[in-house]
Amino acid sequence: MIDDASKAFYLKAAFGTETKPEETLAQDSKRITVPVSEEFLLRLVNEQKTIWSNDPKDEVRYEHALRASHPVPKTVFGIPILSQKKKSGALIFYSEQAKNAQDETFISLIENVAYQMGSLIFEKVEVPFIQGNEDRIGQVLENMPVMFFSVDEQFRILSWNHECENVTGYEKEEVIGKERFFKDQLLGIQDYGNSSEFYHQSVDSDFKNWELEIKSKTGKIKTIAMSNISTEFPIAGWKHWFVGVDVTLTKEVEKNLKSSLKELSDFHTALNAVSIVAITDKLGNIIYVNQNFCNISGYSKNELLGRNHRIINSGYHPKEFFIELWKTISKGKIWKGEIKNKSKDGKFYWVDTTISPIFDENGKPHQYLAIRNDITERKETEEKVRLAENNLKTLQDRMSPHFLFNTLSIIHSYLQTNSELADSAILMLAENYRFLIDNAQRALIPFDVEWEFMENYMKLLKLRFSDFLDIEVVKKGDFSKCQLPPLTLQPIVENSYIHGIRNQKGGGKISVEATIEGNRTRIRIRDNGKGIENTENFYSRTLNNISERLKFYLYESEVKIENHADGGTLVTVDFDTPKNEQLGKLN
């Protein structure tokens, strides 16, 4: 019983088999207080040694109703009671007279009494507790979802739960009490030499953790995360307890994950070494670029992050091109194609592009990975070949024997009637052919040279069809610094004659007007023929060839054909300054 006033134990009587101590105490209606100070008790229990005290401070108040009839003790003698080396209480004696600690016989007798009381407490309190709970503990350990087993000092298995059976394949009957199972089967140590040394190094410490590879009964290697538990829990004979978790699958996953991460790292390194990589959010804002992207675009990462790809838009592709691109990737599909971009310093470059959606947990695209490869050199080579083919075709058309024969026939007729005009025609024809030979393979030529070639051609047409064709040529502004590809204007004029007015009754008219404002040049070529029947599906190889060459060599170029409000067809050619970087490579 715990006394409220002194915080000490009060022993009314020895334990009996019938009478409970609290019932005995209930017979005494008076409050009992142990006549010793709390400090004395604490000192006695904490120091765990016999204490004699004649100190007045250890003389404690009496709250008992019969206080007046009891003398105050002069000497207090205390001895601690230990049960299995644990603090279990104290035995205290009081004397009305002052005593000293010289009576060794008395002290020995009292220490023996205290020892016997400690044994009695263990027998009556702790042993029943252990016996009453050992079965319940065993049931818990038996059914834990982790491996649990115990060994004695010779490493013989004493307990082996269900999870041990599941993981190893060995039944309880196959392992308990076996001499070498722990070392041979679990640890895989066939020759372990000095057992005490092995014991000390491997398991003679509490809560030591290690991973153990064991061979199951079926021969499969299992990886077990093992830990030995504190040995303080009192179950007889269990020198060490062990718990283990089968982490074989986890290890395999870790191994595969490490391998995958290594492969991914290698792929990432290789990809960054050769490709231009960018990642955008679902709105197209850039959230990642690699160094190759920065190198080719001329922009730093800080300049690119948070922006969209319009920052490198070259203006080459129509809006419909990018609308179709976004439709594709927004549906979770991969888009592939070639895109012409523009760097920070104004240079154009081509990239072979693959854009792949990155899906969220709901299977919806929330980011886009763009992998590009620089194909500028290849595209320029292709462009050179195409331009060379177009130039050759144009040159062949201009030097057509049919055109030459017809022109010479007209000159021959003028030789009979107007020799001066015939001489002029011969000179113009010679100049035109000289122009074709000298300039047809060049990238750009002065505007005035191209203009003169076109004028000569129109004059020759006028000579041939003087009664049928009218021509008008107007040039406004200073074109001394203007350049354009050769054979740009004359083929358009020829088309206006052939497709516009050649078959028109009553003749027709072709007018050409050139203007320049700053760096911007505009040429308008109009005929008063029948016009175009279907402008939406209209295609002209000649105009397409001219448009491609202008786009390749000149900034902001455009070739447009339409029906004029007053009849006939109007072709408008607009362009800006040359792309010097292209000229340096192709001239």
Side-chain angles (χ1 to χ4, degrees):
M1 298 290 292
I2 297 179
D3 175 61
D4 293 333
S6 62
K7 307 299 181 186
F9 288 96
Y10 172 70
L11 184 62
K12 176 66 177 180
F15 284 96
T17 57
E18 301 294 337
T19 306
K20 297 181 180 179
E22 57 268 25
E23 294 175 354
T24 305
L25 290 173
Q27 296 174 6
D28 190 348
S29 60
K30 301 179 179 61
R31 183 182 179 85
I32 299 172
T33 301
V34 179
V36 65
S37 69
E38 183 174 349
E39 290 77 6
F40 180 85
L41 288 174
L42 292 174
R43 194 165 76 249
L44 178 63
V45 174
N46 290 333
E47 295 180 7
Q48 294 191 29
K49 66 180 181 179
T50 302
I51 299 176
W52 285 86
S53 176
N54 295 318
D55 191 336
K57 292 188 296 182
D58 293 327
E59 298 175 6
V60 182
R61 65 220 178 278
Y62 263 104
E63 296 180 8
H64 198 283
L66 302 178
R67 167 73 179 84
S69 64
H70 292 273
V72 176
K74 298 300 183 181
T75 299
V76 180
F77 169 67
I79 184 169
I81 298 175
L82 303 179
S83 175
Q84 297 292 303
K85 297 182 181 181
K86 297 180 180 178
K87 304 171 187 176
S88 297
L91 188 61
I92 303 172
F93 294 88
Y94 308 93
S95 175
E96 298 175 3
Q97 299 177 357
K99 299 287 187 179
N100 57 44
Q102 302 301 318
D103 193 343
E104 294 181 359
T105 302
F106 175 75
I107 294 173
S108 176
L109 177 63
I110 297 305
E111 287 179 345
N112 184 54
V113 171
Y115 174 79
Q116 296 299 328
M117 290 185 70
S119 299
L120 181 64
I121 291 172
F122 177 76
E123 180 181 347
K124 295 296 184 179
V125 179
E126 296 190 28
V127 171
F129 170 78
I130 295 172
Q131 293 174 344
N133 289 280
E134 190 169 306
D135 290 342
R136 290 193 293 273
I137 294 173
Q139 291 177 1
V140 172
L141 298 177
E142 182 70 19
N143 295 287
M144 286 196 308
V146 296
M147 297 175 66
F148 175 86
F149 63 94
S150 61
V151 299
D152 61 14
E153 291 186 356
Q154 282 73 43
F155 302 106
R156 290 176 297 204
I157 304 293
L158 298 179
S159 63
W160 189 256
N161 74 346
H162 290 315
E163 186 64 13
C164 288
E165 294 178 334
N166 294 335
V167 173
T168 67
Y170 290 99
E171 300 292 334
K172 190 177 302 184
E173 293 77 13
E174 298 178 90
V175 301
I176 290 182
K178 303 299 182 182
E179 288 286 342
R180 298 175 62 92
F181 181 83
F182 178 80
K183 296 179 181 178
D184 292 355
Q185 302 299 327
L186 291 188
L187 300 182
I189 301 176
Q190 303 300 324
D191 183 13
Y192 43 83
N194 189 323
S195 296
S196 61
E197 181 181 352
F198 167 81
Y199 183 87
H200 174 73
Q201 292 178 354
S202 301
V203 296
D204 191 17
S205 62
D206 290 336
F207 302 107
K208 183 177 180 180
N209 301 309
W210 73 95
E211 286 186 355
L212 183 66
E213 285 194 347
I214 66 171
K215 182 184 288 187
S216 68
K217 190 175 181 179
T218 62
K220 184 178 181 180
I221 301 299
K222 299 287 188 77
T223 303
I224 310 299
M226 193 74 73
S227 177
N228 55 323
I229 307 175
S230 172
T231 59
E232 291 184 5
F233 200 89
I235 293 183
W238 289 18
K239 183 63 177 176
H240 279 286
W241 305 4
F242 297 89
V243 292
V245 177
D246 183 4
V247 294
T248 306
L249 181 60
T250 302
K251 286 296 178 181
E252 290 176 356
V253 171
E254 287 180 358
K255 182 179 179 181
N256 292 335
L257 181 59
K258 287 180 180 179
S259 177
S260 298
L261 289 175
K262 176 66 167 57
E263 291 176 1
L264 184 61
S265 176
D266 292 344
F267 173 76
H268 182 266
T269 301
L271 186 65
N272 279 328
V274 299
S275 297
I276 303 159
V277 182
I279 300 176
T280 71
D281 60 20
K282 63 181 180 181
L283 298 178
N285 298 314
I286 299 171
I287 59 176
Y288 170 82
V289 292
N290 70 347
Q291 188 58 44
N292 288 340
F293 193 111
C294 298
N295 292 342
I296 196 168
S297 70
Y299 291 97
S300 68
K301 288 186 178 181
N302 290 336
E303 291 175 303
L304 291 168
L305 295 180
R307 303 286 297 274
N308 57 48
H309 279 78
R310 283 193 291 271
I311 192 174
I312 55 172
N313 192 331
S314 65
Y316 177 83
H317 304 280
K319 293 181 179 179
E320 293 75 18
F321 177 86
F322 293 105
I323 291 174
E324 189 63 30
L325 183 157
W326 272 100
K327 281 183 179 179
T328 301
I329 62 176
S330 297
K331 293 177 181 178
K333 298 179 180 179
I334 295 175
W335 184 91
K336 294 183 178 181
E338 297 177 350
I339 301 178
K340 186 177 183 180
N341 290 328
K342 184 177 181 181
S343 65
K344 186 177 181 180
D345 60 4
K347 294 182 179 180
F348 291 93
Y349 62 94
W350 281 88
V351 285
D352 183 22
T353 304
T354 299
I355 303 177
S356 178
I358 301 174
F359 301 98
D360 61 16
E361 61 275 7
N362 298 317
K364 301 292 184 182
H366 76 116
Q367 292 178 349
Y368 299 101
L369 170 65
I371 300 175
R372 303 175 175 90
N373 291 297
D374 184 6
I375 58 170
T376 305
E377 186 174 349
R378 190 199 84 196
K379 294 294 289 187
E380 288 178 352
T381 301
E382 291 176 356
E383 189 69 16
K384 287 179 184 179
V385 173
R386 184 168 61 252
L387 292 176
E389 290 176 349
N390 288 337
N391 288 344
L392 180 59
K393 180 63 178 175
T394 302
L395 179 61
Q396 290 172 342
D397 291 342
R398 302 290 77 80
M399 298 185 72
S400 165
H402 176 72
F403 173 81
L404 180 60
F405 176 77
N406 289 335
T407 304
L408 289 175
S409 295
I410 296 300
I411 293 174
H412 181 266
S413 66
Y414 276 109
L415 287 173
Q416 305 297 326
T417 59
N418 191 336
S419 61
E420 184 177 347
L421 190 57
D423 291 341
S424 177
I426 291 173
L427 290 175
M428 286 188 292
L429 184 61
E431 287 294 326
N432 277 12
Y433 276 90
R434 185 179 295 110
F435 170 90
L436 293 174
I437 294 171
D438 292 344
N439 299 309
Q441 299 302 317
R442 295 179 61 186
L444 296 175
I445 62 172
F447 181 87
D448 290 335
V449 174
E450 172 71 12
W451 184 266
E452 182 181 1
F453 174 73
M454 178 206 68
E455 279 191 303
N456 286 342
Y457 174 78
M458 294 182 71
K459 291 176 181 177
L460 288 173
L461 280 180
K462 178 63 175 174
L463 283 176
R464 289 178 61 190
F465 310 107
S466 58
D467 298 331
F468 176 80
L469 177 66
D470 287 331
I471 60 172
E472 182 181 7
V473 178
V474 178
K475 184 170 65 169
K476 299 178 181 177
D478 181 8
F479 292 86
S480 59
K481 296 181 180 180
C482 181
Q483 297 182 82
L484 78 169
L487 301 174
T488 297
L489 303 182
Q490 182 270 335
I492 300 176
V493 171
E494 185 177 29
N495 264 15
S496 295
Y497 167 72
I498 294 174
H499 302 292
I501 61 177
R502 183 172 63 177
N503 297 322
Q504 181 174 272
K505 294 180 180 181
K509 180 179 180 180
I510 298 176
S511 59
V512 181
E513 179 185 48
T515 59
I516 186 169
E517 293 183 9
N519 294 325
R520 190 71 175 164
T521 301
R522 167 168 286 186
I523 301 113
R524 293 162 58 91
I525 301 173
R526 183 196 167 195
D527 65 70
N528 64 346
K530 62 180 181 179
I532 304 171
E533 295 181 358
N534 187 350
T535 56
E536 292 184 2
N537 299 321
F538 178 79
Y539 174 81
S540 168
R541 182 175 62 85
T542 299
L543 293 182
N544 186 66
N545 174 17
I546 293 170
S547 177
E548 283 190 357
R549 289 189 293 140
L550 288 173
K551 281 186 176 181
F552 188 76
Y553 292 120
L554 303 171
Y555 287 119
E556 305 296 331
S557 67
E558 182 182 22
V559 177
K560 183 171 62 174
I561 185 170
E562 58 189 332
N563 287 324
H564 194 275
D566 296 331
T569 305
L570 175 65
V571 177
T572 304
V573 178
D574 292 300
F575 56 88
D576 212 318
T577 54
K579 301 174 183 178
N580 292 327
E581 69 275 13
Q582 303 288 3
L583 296 181
K585 295 176 182 178
L586 298 177
N587 267 338

